[in-house]
Amino acid sequence: MKNISKASLFIAGCSIIAGIASCGNPQDKNTKTTEKTTANDSLQKYVNERLDIYEKVKLTTNLNDLTINERKILPLLIQSAQIMDDLFWKQAYPQRDSLLNTIKDEKTKSFIWINYGPWDRLNGDKPFIPGIGPKPDAASFYPAGMTKDDLKKSDAKDKYGQYSVIKKDSTGKLISIPYHVLFATELQKVSNLLKQAALLAEDAGLKKYLNLRADALVTDNYTASDYAWLDMKNNSLDIIIGPIENYEDKLFNARASYEAYVLIKDKVWSKRLAKYVSMLPQLQQGLPVEAKYKKEKPGTDSELNAYDVIYYAGDCNAGSKTIAVNLPNDEIIQQKKGTRRSQLKNAMKAKFDKILIPIAKELIDKDQQQYINFEAFFANVMFHEVAHGLGIKKTITGKGFVKEALQEQYSWLEEGKADVLGLYMVTGLLKKKELEGDIKQFYTTYMAGILRSVRFGAASAHGKANMQCFNFFKENGAFVRNENGTYKVDFSKFETAMNKLSNLIITLQGNGDKAAVEKTQKENAVISTELQTDLDKLTKKGIPVDIIFEQGVDVLGVK
């Protein structure tokens, strides 16, 4: 892949540091040196402080129940995932090696590795390397300097395709190049590794999926392998691999980024979750929105499974770490077949213990801290993923799928929908006595979860979604802020606010009105000064924002 134009990242004769340009009229050399040294020291201090927001976690699990062949498969899956990681670097910041070679400070290098580039993903993509400008919305999916209108007016094929990049040919004309052509060497290596794993696979469903996914990676035709993945029922091992999410393409939210998760199923927990998907049609009928926005019937051939994740790679490892997955993203497959909701239990427990509990102790009303528990956190996250299947996939205004209509505004609003409809599901299931527990536990834990997720910042779809939820719930009296800076949930108003926000989001999606969604984001998906002050307390207390991993064959003890 061609590098992003250096002119877009390194401004000749200027040093853009932390958003302040230091070029202009000639100045005294000593002044320039002092300013540069001060700015560099400031960025070094920033990196040192920001490294502390991550808590390191070992990704391990009990391998005793795996067969000999399954243990042999694991290294092959991890090698495949590592290649996905390299491919994501090529998408997010292809100048990785040249950048790292210029950096002497080991902490700065570590922070570059965590962020997959020189921009702080959990702080609005703030640049933290001297000479680096703002993060380009185009990443490396589009030529530097290309505008939305340029692409719209061009006759390039596959303009908004998931599995291609847009380049300029020798004449300056925009053309598309498929991923399987651009990354042919790397993808063939992954395909071979998955075929080797398939030869060792004893479960027929896993064997079929691995073979089809191996073929898909070198053709960019993922439909058959997606169906095969959904058909797997009895597998102990799993790998989610390929170009999957669109978050990195902030220009159109169209191009998919490479990632991988290597998973081991927790069959005991998975069995406990099996019953909930069949309830989706009934829950869809009860959505607090006009009938025309809930006519679609969600697929019920879906599964809820719990896993221990033993390897993260690529997009899912950049910025905030995913703790649950709802796939495939293909709307047609979702409607025909459904999705699989995978709960990453060990990563989820790490975030609960190391982040959510300390946040609750600091920011949740003392009398309500008793309601924070892991079962409620697990359920809220799980039903967030299930709730992606509720609501509306196609606009009622003839604008096609919601994703197509909303483009770069789609992801954050969809995450907000899943958040609030997940809580709607919990509320409904508790009332039907299909779920055990006290509603106070789920609502209070949800409130603590909002305070956890807003810290991901405005560069994160999940961060924006939780900012909107916080501001909407505050406006509707779902919680109050005590004089000591802690938050107290009003349980009756919490449910009312939940229904109102559900109505708002589904209506926005169903109308496919991108301008209205953009307006909502600018007005509501923001952190107020008061909230920022409270969040700063967490930083001062050393409460991590997220986790990073020690992972791989050595950590697992397999070769």
Side-chain angles (χ1 to χ4, degrees):
M1 178 182 285
K2 294 180 183 176
N3 289 349
I4 298 174
S5 168
K6 290 184 180 178
S8 69
L9 299 178
F10 299 92
I11 312 298
C14 300
S15 178
I16 298 180
I17 302 171
I20 301 175
S22 60
C23 55
N25 296 327
Q27 299 176 29
D28 179 83
K29 288 183 180 178
N30 291 333
T31 304
K32 279 187 174 182
T33 303
T34 302
E35 287 178 352
K36 185 176 180 180
T37 302
T38 302
N40 288 353
D41 289 346
S42 177
L43 282 177
Q44 186 62 60
K45 183 181 179 211
Y46 176 84
V47 167
N48 294 345
E49 290 174 350
R50 292 294 288 170
L51 268 175
D52 291 339
I53 74 170
Y54 292 95
E55 179 80 15
K56 190 171 284 187
V57 172
K58 278 190 177 182
L59 282 182
T60 59
T61 190
N62 181 4
L63 303 180
N64 291 336
D65 292 335
L66 297 184
T67 66
I68 293 172
N69 272 16
E70 285 170 339
R71 291 183 188 218
K72 290 179 180 177
I73 288 172
L74 281 179
L76 297 172
L77 300 185
I78 289 171
Q79 288 177 57
S80 301
Q82 288 167 337
I83 297 173
M84 291 295 107
D85 202 67
D86 287 337
L87 288 179
F88 179 68
W89 268 106
K90 291 186 176 185
Q91 294 178 310
Y93 192 75
Q95 302 94 337
R96 177 191 69 187
D97 293 344
S98 60
L99 175 64
L100 288 170
N101 287 338
T102 68
I103 304 296
K104 294 181 181 179
D105 178 66
E106 291 302 318
K107 287 187 175 181
T108 302
K109 283 185 179 180
S110 295
F111 204 50
I112 290 170
W113 281 107
I114 288 170
N115 286 284
Y116 288 80
W119 300 283
D120 187 348
R121 288 175 178 267
L122 298 191
N123 189 20
D125 286 327
K126 175 186 173 75
F128 57 85
I129 300 293
I132 295 291
K135 185 179 181 185
D137 288 344
S140 61
F141 300 116
Y142 309 94
M146 188 205 80
T147 66
K148 289 185 177 183
D149 281 343
D150 289 339
L151 187 58
K152 186 177 181 181
K153 292 173 182 175
S154 79
D155 59 0
K157 294 180 180 178
D158 202 34
K159 287 185 186 181
Y160 310 113
Q162 290 190 79
Y163 311 126
S164 67
V165 299
I166 299 295
K167 296 284 187 184
K168 287 183 179 178
D169 66 13
S170 58
T171 67
K173 181 182 177 183
L174 295 178
I175 59 170
S176 67
I177 303 174
Y179 285 179
H180 73 270
V181 173
L182 194 63
F183 305 122
T185 302
E186 296 93 334
L187 293 172
Q188 189 58 59
K189 288 179 183 176
V190 180
S191 182
N192 292 341
L193 288 165
L194 294 183
K195 294 274 189 182
Q196 289 178 52
L199 288 172
L200 293 167
E202 297 155 319
D203 177 74
L206 178 63
K207 184 184 290 286
K208 180 180 179 181
Y209 166 63
L210 290 173
N211 278 318
L212 288 174
R213 202 64 174 182
D215 294 337
L217 286 162
V218 294
T219 61
D220 290 325
N221 185 356
Y222 289 92
T223 303
S225 63
D226 281 342
Y227 278 115
W229 183 69
L230 290 174
D231 285 337
M232 286 195 304
K233 305 295 181 186
N234 303 311
N235 54 304
S236 296
L237 302 183
D238 197 357
I239 183 168
I240 297 169
I241 187 166
I244 295 170
E245 303 291 359
N246 307 112
Y247 303 128
E248 197 68 15
D249 177 4
K250 289 184 167 61
L251 202 61
F252 290 104
N253 197 236
R255 259 78 200 182
S257 299
Y258 284 100
E259 66 180 6
Y261 306 80
V262 181
L263 308 166
I264 296 177
K265 187 184 288 184
D266 185 323
K267 293 185 177 180
V268 175
W269 271 77
S270 295
K271 190 174 181 181
R272 289 170 56 185
L273 308 179
K275 66 178 181 179
Y276 294 116
V277 174
S278 63
M279 301 176 185
L280 278 175
Q282 185 180 357
L283 289 161
Q284 173 85 350
Q285 292 289 314
L287 288 174
V289 69
E290 290 181 55
K292 60 184 176 181
Y293 293 100
K294 53 184 178 181
K295 286 182 178 178
E296 296 176 9
K297 291 183 179 179
T300 56
D301 190 18
S302 300
E303 283 192 88
L304 274 176
N305 287 313
Y307 297 86
D308 278 344
V309 55
I310 55 170
Y311 206 88
Y312 281 79
D315 189 56
C316 61
N317 197 40
S320 58
K321 306 304 183 290
T322 306
I323 52 177
V325 184
N326 175 52
L327 293 169
N329 285 328
D330 187 311
E331 293 93 342
I332 295 172
I333 295 176
Q334 288 181 4
Q335 289 179 326
K336 287 184 177 179
K337 186 82 171 173
T339 59
R340 173 173 287 136
R341 284 85 175 191
S342 307
Q343 315 304 305
L344 312 184
K345 188 166 60 68
N346 57 341
M348 201 182 294
K349 188 68 164 63
K351 288 203 183 192
F352 179 80
D353 290 341
K354 297 179 182 297
I355 303 174
L356 193 111
I357 287 284
I359 287 174
K361 287 180 178 176
E362 196 66 30
L363 293 184
I364 295 297
D365 180 85
K366 188 176 181 181
D367 292 337
Q368 293 188 344
Q369 288 178 18
Q370 62 182 306
Y371 300 127
I372 306 289
N373 66 39
F374 180 68
E375 286 71 22
F377 181 64
F378 184 90
N380 287 340
V381 175
M382 174 178 71
F383 287 113
H384 164 106
E385 297 305 330
V386 178
H388 277 299
L390 290 176
I392 192 163
K393 302 294 180 188
K394 265 191 176 176
T395 64
I396 64 168
T397 52
K399 296 180 180 178
F401 285 111
V402 174
K403 187 175 181 180
E404 296 168 352
L406 298 186
Q407 295 183 326
E408 78 278 2
Q409 293 296 327
Y410 170 78
S411 290
W412 81 270
L413 191 66
E414 174 63 20
E415 294 304 333
K417 181 204 83 173
D419 280 340
V420 72
L421 289 191
L423 192 65
Y424 157 81
M425 288 188 70
V426 165
T427 304
L429 291 170
L430 283 168
K431 288 179 178 178
K432 295 176 187 295
K433 308 221 180 282
E434 295 287 355
L435 189 65
E436 293 181 2
D438 184 341
I439 193 68
K440 293 178 181 179
Q441 295 173 336
F442 294 93
Y443 283 3
T444 310
T445 303
Y446 186 90
M447 183 69 215
I450 293 174
L451 295 169
R452 177 184 73 88
S453 297
V454 293
R455 298 175 83 202
F456 296 153
S460 160
H462 295 85
K464 283 195 284 248
N466 280 273
M467 290 173 200
Q468 181 200 34
C469 188
F470 178 91
N471 289 321
F472 191 94
F473 275 36
K474 179 182 179 182
E475 184 182 323
N476 285 272
F479 61 83
V480 294
R481 182 179 182 274
N482 298 326
E483 288 184 5
N484 64 355
T486 59
Y487 293 85
K488 185 172 186 176
V489 174
D490 184 317
F491 298 108
S492 61
K493 290 182 180 178
F494 214 78
E495 181 175 354
T496 302
M498 170 193 78
N499 288 328
K500 286 177 69 175
L501 184 55
S502 299
N503 180 289
L504 173 66
I505 292 177
I506 297 171
T507 302
L508 284 169
Q509 289 185 321
N511 292 343
D513 188 342
K514 184 180 169 187
V517 177
E518 192 167 16
K519 182 174 183 288
T520 299
Q521 183 210 315
K522 287 179 179 176
E523 291 176 354
N524 296 325
V526 294
I527 294 180
S528 68
T529 303
E530 182 180 73
L531 175 58
Q532 189 60 58
T533 300
D534 294 334
L535 297 179
D536 288 343
K537 294 179 192 173
L538 305 178
T539 304
K540 289 173 183 173
K541 288 279 186 177
I543 297 171
V545 175
D546 207 20
I547 53 179
I548 53 175
F549 304 114
E550 289 182 43
Q551 57 181 1
V553 291
D554 292 336
V555 173
L556 280 173
V558 296
K559 299 291 182 184

